[in-house]
Amino acid sequence: MLHSDPATAQYIGFEELTKSRDNFLLVGGENSGKSTILKSLLMNKLRSQAQAQLDEIAFYFDCKGKKLPSKNRIKAVLTEIYDSLPGSALYIDTLNNKTTTENALLIFDGVEGLSQRCIDELIDFLKEYKAPRFIISCKHATAHEIATKLRTEVARKFFEVNIGGMKRSHLKGLVGRWLSSSTKQNSVAREILKAVDNAGMPNNLFVYSMLLSIYERKQGHFSTYLHEADLVRKPPRSAKGLSRNLI
């Protein structure tokens, strides 16, 4: 279940995270689903770009176990996801120039894996380039430091979005939103848990909602192993679990 201070929390869905022009700091624990959400968002954007919908061009950097270069070279690593696509060096140069425009979405996943120097380089990059939209993810232990830097040094509006664990006992209640039959609810809940365990996915509301949408699409048939393509093909129609606070 995604959560924050109940007095100020605003719950948002995956679609809003995709279409919003706001900046977000996505916070969660180990295996809470942060990367799943961000990679799903990235795939959503790449599919749109493939259909010449270029209102927002996505760039992604996985910070876990890597070094972020100096602020002046960050643009180069953001285009690495496009390196395997057929194209010329001119195409990559064009993408480089797009990374700092107002229709760019820059995703930095797992910044807690960066050294302090690399975090400082990232903050300097955010301070210099105000036009793009940013989504940054980190674990709880790093969230306060990153949020403070975003508020005091970057001086840009970011919403902190919290994602936490979800007890398996909550799953039946979620399934009840889709199915009225108690017998059917128990059966589908068991299939979801089996799929989550077999695929090594996190137990959270986002993943459960995604699987229920897949269940609807496949008219009740669950595979025992779900590929990444299944996870990103159709976002949940109601992923109420993302809650945001203004940093």
Side-chain angles (χ1 to χ4, degrees):
M1 183 128 351
L2 304 166
H3 59 84
S4 63
D5 182 354
T8 58
Q10 281 185 294
Y11 288 87
I12 64 173
F14 181 77
E15 185 174 356
E16 183 178 347
L17 194 68
T18 302
K19 295 182 177 180
S20 173
R21 287 300 305 169
D22 292 327
N23 302 301
F24 293 99
L25 175 63
L26 183 63
V27 180
E30 187 76 26
N31 296 322
S32 61
K34 300 184 298 297
S35 292
T36 300
I37 292 173
L38 293 180
K39 288 177 181 178
S40 298
L41 172 62
L42 174 65
M43 294 301 294
N44 184 294
K45 293 294 183 182
L46 292 178
R47 283 197 302 273
S48 296
Q49 290 168 210
Q51 297 171 5
Q53 298 174 20
L54 303 177
D55 54 312
E56 190 169 62
I57 302 173
F59 300 90
Y60 174 91
F61 182 71
D62 186 351
C63 302
K64 297 182 285 293
K66 297 181 181 178
K67 291 182 179 180
L68 199 63
S70 66
K71 130 186 126 170
N72 297 322
R73 296 189 61 249
I74 286 178
K75 291 193 288 184
V77 301
L78 284 168
T79 60
E80 287 178 355
I81 60 169
Y82 295 99
D83 286 350
S84 60
L85 299 178
S88 64
L90 178 62
Y91 175 68
I92 298 298
D93 286 342
T94 301
L95 282 173
N96 259 320
N97 294 330
K98 293 290 186 183
T99 55
T100 53
T101 62
E102 63 182 8
N103 67 329
L105 169 61
L106 309 187
I107 301 171
F108 294 90
D109 188 11
V111 298
E112 75 281 347
L114 298 175
S115 68
Q116 188 60 55
R117 183 195 65 79
C118 290
I119 290 177
D120 290 340
E121 292 287 354
L122 175 59
I123 293 300
D124 286 342
F125 181 82
L126 268 68
K127 287 161 61 176
E128 180 166 344
Y129 297 104
K130 303 288 189 181
R133 180 163 83 101
F134 290 90
I135 300 181
I136 300 169
S137 79
C138 67
K139 293 180 181 178
H140 290 290
T142 320
H144 178 71
E145 176 192 356
I146 300 298
T148 300
K149 287 179 178 292
L150 292 175
R151 183 177 65 253
T152 61
E153 297 183 34
V154 178
R156 292 189 62 184
K157 184 185 291 185
F158 272 78
F159 289 97
E160 183 174 333
V161 179
N162 289 275
I163 174 171
M166 182 178 182
K167 294 182 179 179
R168 293 187 173 200
S169 59
H170 296 155
L171 177 57
K172 186 176 177 181
L174 177 64
V175 174
R177 299 179 188 176
W178 269 259
L179 303 167
S180 57
S181 167
S182 178
T183 302
K184 195 69 172 176
Q185 288 174 18
N186 290 332
S187 173
V188 171
R190 284 195 298 271
E191 289 296 321
I192 288 177
L193 291 175
K194 183 168 68 174
V196 168
D197 288 341
N198 288 345
M201 293 181 290
N203 287 281
N204 61 52
L205 188 57
F206 178 82
V207 170
Y208 291 161
S209 297
M210 290 285 261
L211 294 180
L212 282 165
S213 290
I214 294 169
Y215 171 82
E216 286 187 321
R217 191 185 74 241
K218 295 185 175 180
Q219 297 182 333
H221 173 69
F222 269 100
S223 301
T224 56
Y225 183 85
L226 293 172
H227 295 281
E228 186 177 22
D230 283 320
L231 286 179
V232 301
R233 191 169 296 149
K234 180 181 178 183
R237 66 181 181 184
S238 179
K240 292 185 183 296
L242 292 169
S243 61
R244 70 179 187 179
N245 285 322
L246 179 61
I247 293 176

